[in-house]
Amino acid sequence: EVQLVESGGGLVQPGGSLRLSCVASGFPFSPYSMNWVRQAPGKGLEWLSYIRTSSSMIYYADSVKGRFTISRDDAKNSVFLQMNSLRAEDTAVYYCVRSVQYGFDHWGQGNLVTVSS
Amino acid sequence: QSALTQPPSASGSPGQSVTISCTGTSSDIGGYNFVSWYQQHPGKVPKLLIYEVTKRPSGVPDRFSASKSGNTASLTVSGLQAEDEADYYCNSYSGSNSLLFGGGTKLTVL
């Protein structure tokens, strides 16, 4: 069974940093591209970042470019999202998502990040 | 990177069909066959319904179908059932190396 388990969320002050982690299991991790997608409370889905196999290509949404960094460690079946200069509008549930041909086929349960003083 | 445009709401009676549109531009929906659709029930994780415009993952009922014409993609839910009441989101690859979601459509089964 495919499982994606996120961790690292929580409460952080504006301007602060957090690092989200996602550990994958139940499938061979290295051949798959991975993404981070978030959903603000009561709002829609927002794609944030994509990382291809072997980190060969990385994309970011304009809203997080320059502040967030995606990375992966295939030896640990893990993908990460380093989030810096956090703002109140970054408050959301953050999902780790596997993609196949740009379709998001498996989602983690989500990890809440709250940016507030 | 503007979001794709979806109607905020749609509705239909049990057994009927309903179609949800998703409008983009020639730089996203119109330019690539990487449109996908997701269903999200309240408090739940989104579920992939359609990928690559028309393909259904295993386990998704064939009541869910999709298409694309020009810059607009569409999801049709046939034989509406109560459990189809949920939020639906479209997504497309964009030529600016990004992926865009639509704003979401709340489907109500009357």
Side-chain angles (χ1 to χ4, degrees):
Chain A
E1 179 193 2
V2 172
Q3 284 198 314
L4 299 167
V5 180
E6 302 100 338
S7 62
L11 176 64
V12 62
Q13 291 189 338
S17 298
L18 275 179
R19 186 186 193 222
L20 302 183
S21 299
C22 170
V23 178
S25 61
F27 67 99
F29 181 72
S30 59
Y32 286 89
S33 299
M34 299 296 295
N35 301 262
W36 288 95
V37 174
R38 70 184 178 186
Q39 187 168 33
K43 302 297 184 182
L45 301 172
E46 180 185 15
W47 169 82
L48 299 178
S49 186
Y50 163 97
I51 186 166
R52 193 170 286 181
T53 58
S54 303
S55 306
S56 58
M57 195 163 289
I58 289 175
Y59 309 153
Y60 295 100
D62 286 347
S63 59
V64 303
K65 200 173 295 183
R67 299 189 300 127
F68 290 11
T69 302
I70 192 172
S71 61
R72 64 188 294 161
D73 184 340
D74 289 349
K76 296 182 178 179
N77 289 351
S78 296
V79 61
F80 309 97
L81 188 67
Q82 176 67 42
M83 304 186 295
N84 298 330
S85 304
L86 284 161
R87 308 164 179 164
E89 54 264 37
D90 294 318
T91 294
V93 173
Y94 285 71
Y95 294 102
C96 169
V97 189
R98 190 181 85 169
S99 61
V100 177
Q101 291 294 78
Y102 299 116
F104 306 119
D105 68 338
H106 286 278
W107 299 63
Q109 285 302 304
N111 202 210
L112 177 63
V113 171
T114 303
V115 184
S116 175
S117 55
Chain B
Q1 294 177 346
S2 300
L4 305 173
T5 301
Q6 295 182 235
S9 63
S11 63
S13 299
Q16 287 187 333
S17 294
V18 64
T19 296
I20 298 170
S21 63
C22 173
T23 302
T25 68
S26 58
S27 296
D28 38 70
I29 291 177
Y32 305 90
N33 288 323
F34 290 126
V35 178
S36 53
W37 290 90
Y38 303 85
Q39 176 192 60
Q40 186 180 32
H41 288 105
K44 300 297 186 182
V45 173
K47 173 187 174 182
L48 176 65
L49 293 176
I50 299 287
Y51 65 103
E52 290 182 27
V53 182
T54 60
K55 298 178 180 178
R56 266 190 320 275
S58 60
V60 174
D62 59 7
R63 300 186 297 105
F64 294 91
S65 62
S67 62
K68 185 185 87 166
S69 178
N71 299 335
T72 298
S74 300
L75 173 73
T76 297
V77 186
S78 305
L80 268 177
Q81 300 180 4
E83 64 256 35
D84 298 332
E85 185 160 295
D87 293 325
Y88 292 81
Y89 295 91
C90 60
N91 181 276
S92 176
Y93 174 77
S94 167
S96 54
N97 284 342
S98 65
L99 291 144
L100 301 172
F101 277 102
T105 298
K106 182 178 180 59
L107 175 61
T108 300
V109 181
L110 301 170

